[in-house]
Amino acid sequence: MGFPSSFTAVVFALLLTFLQFSKAANSHYLFNKTSALEAADVNGNNSAEILAAPLYPVSHSYLLEIAVGSLGKTRLVSFDTAVNMVWLQCSDYCRDCNPSQVGTSTTYYNASMSISYNPLSCDHPLCGAGDNHDQQVLAECMDGTCTFKVDSLDNNGGWVQGILGSDRISISDHFFFLFDTNIIFGCATVDHSKYTLDQYGSSGVVGLGLGKYSLPQQISVTRFSYCLPSWVKNELFSPPYVLFGSNAVLQGDMTPFLPGFPKYYLKLEGISYGIVRLDIFGSNAAAADQYHQQAQFRRGPYLPDAQFYAMSVESATFPLMLPSRAYELLEKEFEQDNPLLIKSRLQPMNTCYKGSVDDIADNATITLHFHGGVDLQLSRNATFMEITSMNGDQEERYVCLIVDKTVDGTAVLGLSPQLDHNIGFDLENKQISIYRKIC
């Protein structure tokens, strides 16, 4: 016996409404899958324009869900504007890898099971030493196999090495395919990077950096953007997106990034706490010059007598990271403004105090001043983090600054200070837009 016609009509109407809502919610991100496949070059030189890729919050990070290979199996990977290539942990080769999210090989990419996978030949143009942008990537032919190594991935000397190959990569938002194209990536045989540790839940990285192995370079897009909500808003129904090509949002004032280096380096010309401009360089350029000498050792810009810090933009590093002088001045100003807070040390945070965010002065704001008059004021949720800890049977509350001190003089605009801002990358004109908004 069938359902009553009235019941069938109601179900059909609800289904139609749901589909129309889904289509409307995603119409800005729809992409023709066939056109991407037709535009992809088998040699890895892709002209397909990716419109969007959804992001998902995981442990103070945002991850991409991608499918690689003919089986279409999905996996979570980090996305990082400071990395110049794409790599995955591969079950065929990974003999010395950090455990992925579930601690087993089930999330590894299996090249032998994908009929669309091809190892990169040694005579391919991308199997060779990287150019100036690719100083962190070394690709070379060894015993007839094109291999790669990526080093200096974090302050702990993280590195990855493996075999280069190509396969199809696709991204969907569980309703529609957003893109499907061919890329060159690394199958990791050794992975000692921060990205694939348990707390990240990632089994690889999609690099959005400046090098020729990165995703934007391989698919020939000249702009991308993202706007990520702070952690208290992560329960929103619609995930945030990385927007590519003509869909990218370049909003607000623009500040240039330094050309010819492996990362997006912005000129940080000052820091304010409330209305107080901190004297981060002292009375002369000695502090900045010392910083640049140290940064040169880490393959960063060396610009003698420059009155700015070269701050790298990194979407997979969590806190704001400042050289010692700038950090200590900021900490001192904060403590003078909040004299009743009792300082405590809680790993892994540098600066914590007993209490809650409600105990902090209203004017406790941090503003970063970049070249060209571009200011980034950290939202309160991106400046402070509340942590609970047990002291015997008593639960104690602490509030911590989401700011870290570097011992080697590096400066990093991590993910936390970028929250609640639209960050737009204009690769053609070598500039980045920063605009505060509700994401």
Side-chain angles (χ1 to χ4, degrees):
M1 183 176 71
F3 290 107
S5 59
S6 58
F7 177 81
T8 303
V10 170
V11 172
F12 179 78
L14 289 174
L15 179 60
L16 181 61
T17 301
F18 173 75
L19 291 174
Q20 288 174 338
F21 171 78
S22 301
K23 183 176 181 180
N26 291 277
S27 61
H28 190 54
Y29 309 114
L30 282 177
F31 184 57
N32 188 305
K33 178 182 176 182
T34 304
S35 65
L37 291 169
E38 291 172 347
D41 186 301
V42 293
N43 292 321
N45 300 317
N46 299 312
S47 59
E49 183 173 290
I50 301 172
L51 292 187
L55 297 167
Y56 303 97
V58 177
S59 184
H60 296 144
S61 179
Y62 277 95
L63 303 183
L64 284 167
E65 186 180 60
I66 64 173
V68 181
S70 57
L71 295 179
K73 182 178 179 179
T74 61
R75 66 204 74 246
L76 291 173
V77 296
S78 302
F79 87 104
D80 196 353
T81 54
V83 172
N84 291 337
M85 73 173 299
V86 180
W87 81 80
L88 301 171
Q89 291 185 335
C90 295
S91 58
D92 309 67
Y93 310 109
C94 223
R95 63 179 184 272
D96 185 12
C97 290
N98 292 329
S100 53
Q101 186 176 19
V102 294
T104 71
S105 63
T106 57
T107 57
Y108 292 169
Y109 165 76
N110 192 333
S112 63
M113 296 295 291
S114 175
I115 60 174
S116 52
Y117 172 79
N118 289 294
L120 200 67
S121 64
C122 284
D123 58 359
H124 191 281
L126 288 183
C127 188
D131 61 16
N132 198 32
H133 279 151
D134 296 311
Q135 295 174 40
Q136 68 176 203
V137 181
L138 174 64
E140 59 183 347
C141 187
M142 297 182 64
D143 299 325
T145 300
C146 188
T147 64
F148 78 95
K149 183 177 181 180
V150 188
D151 60 12
S152 301
L153 289 171
D154 52 54
N155 290 334
N156 296 318
W159 59 285
V160 175
Q161 72 178 32
I163 298 169
L164 284 173
S166 66
D167 208 337
R168 308 214 69 77
I169 180 173
S170 63
I171 292 179
S172 77
D173 61 357
H174 303 294
F175 293 110
F176 302 97
F177 274 101
L178 301 175
F179 80 93
D180 187 334
T181 190
N182 190 71
I183 67 162
I184 291 170
F185 66 97
C187 260
T189 61
V190 178
D191 183 354
H192 292 169
S193 70
K194 66 180 180 181
Y195 305 96
T196 51
L197 295 174
D198 280 341
Q199 65 264 33
Y200 283 88
S202 168
S203 61
V205 175
V206 170
L208 302 180
L210 288 162
K212 59 189 176 184
Y213 304 94
S214 73
L215 183 62
Q217 296 296 322
Q218 288 200 55
I219 50 89
S220 300
V221 295
T222 59
R223 51 195 285 177
F224 66 91
S225 67
Y226 50 82
C227 189
L228 305 178
S230 55
W231 311 116
V232 296
K233 303 174 186 175
N234 283 344
E235 69 277 4
L236 294 178
F237 171 77
S238 178
Y241 284 78
V242 183
L243 305 176
F244 292 89
S246 60
N247 215 33
V249 178
L250 302 180
Q251 188 175 16
D253 296 327
M254 309 291 289
T255 185
F257 58 81
L258 298 175
F261 294 101
K263 296 181 180 181
Y264 301 102
Y265 284 104
L266 304 181
K267 295 181 180 180
L268 178 66
E269 297 180 336
I271 302 174
S272 293
Y273 174 85
I275 62 173
V276 178
R277 182 87 171 217
L278 305 180
D279 185 18
I280 60 176
F281 299 119
S283 58
N284 54 52
D289 187 54
Q290 179 185 13
Y291 160 74
H292 288 304
Q293 291 183 39
Q294 294 169 328
Q296 170 69 4
F297 178 74
R298 296 179 54 81
R299 298 176 176 176
Y302 175 59
L303 300 166
D305 302 323
Q307 280 280 1
F308 63 85
Y309 288 127
M311 173 171 275
S312 61
V313 182
E314 306 191 11
S315 57
T317 297
F318 179 55
L320 172 68
M321 302 181 72
L322 298 174
S324 297
R325 178 182 175 85
Y327 176 88
E328 289 163 3
L329 287 171
L330 179 63
E331 181 185 52
K332 180 180 178 181
E333 197 68 34
F334 175 80
E335 292 178 355
Q336 288 178 347
D337 196 38
N338 297 273
L340 299 181
L341 292 178
I342 301 174
K343 190 172 184 179
S344 301
R345 174 113 179 142
L346 290 179
Q347 293 292 348
M349 312 299 288
N350 267 326
T351 306
C352 296
Y353 305 85
K354 283 190 176 182
S356 70
V357 172
D358 296 334
D359 300 324
I360 296 174
D362 292 337
N363 65 332
T365 58
I366 299 172
T367 304
L368 307 178
H369 306 289
F370 295 103
H371 183 71
V374 176
D375 292 340
L376 189 159
Q377 184 181 97
L378 279 66
S379 68
R380 206 165 178 85
N381 292 324
T383 307
F384 305 105
M385 175 188 296
E386 287 192 0
I387 297 176
T388 58
S389 178
M390 297 302 298
N391 183 9
D393 295 333
Q394 298 294 318
E395 182 179 88
E396 296 182 338
R397 299 174 68 187
Y398 299 86
V399 59
C400 302
L401 275 172
I402 312 176
V403 185
D404 208 350
K405 176 171 61 176
T406 62
V407 296
D408 59 1
T410 55
V412 177
L413 186 69
L415 179 64
S416 182
Q418 298 180 54
L419 298 176
D420 300 315
H421 288 82
N422 184 83
I423 310 295
F425 295 75
D426 183 350
L427 308 186
E428 186 174 16
N429 296 305
K430 297 179 174 58
Q431 55 188 358
I432 291 176
S433 67
I434 299 173
Y435 184 76
R436 186 166 184 175
K437 63 181 297 186
I438 298 174
C439 299

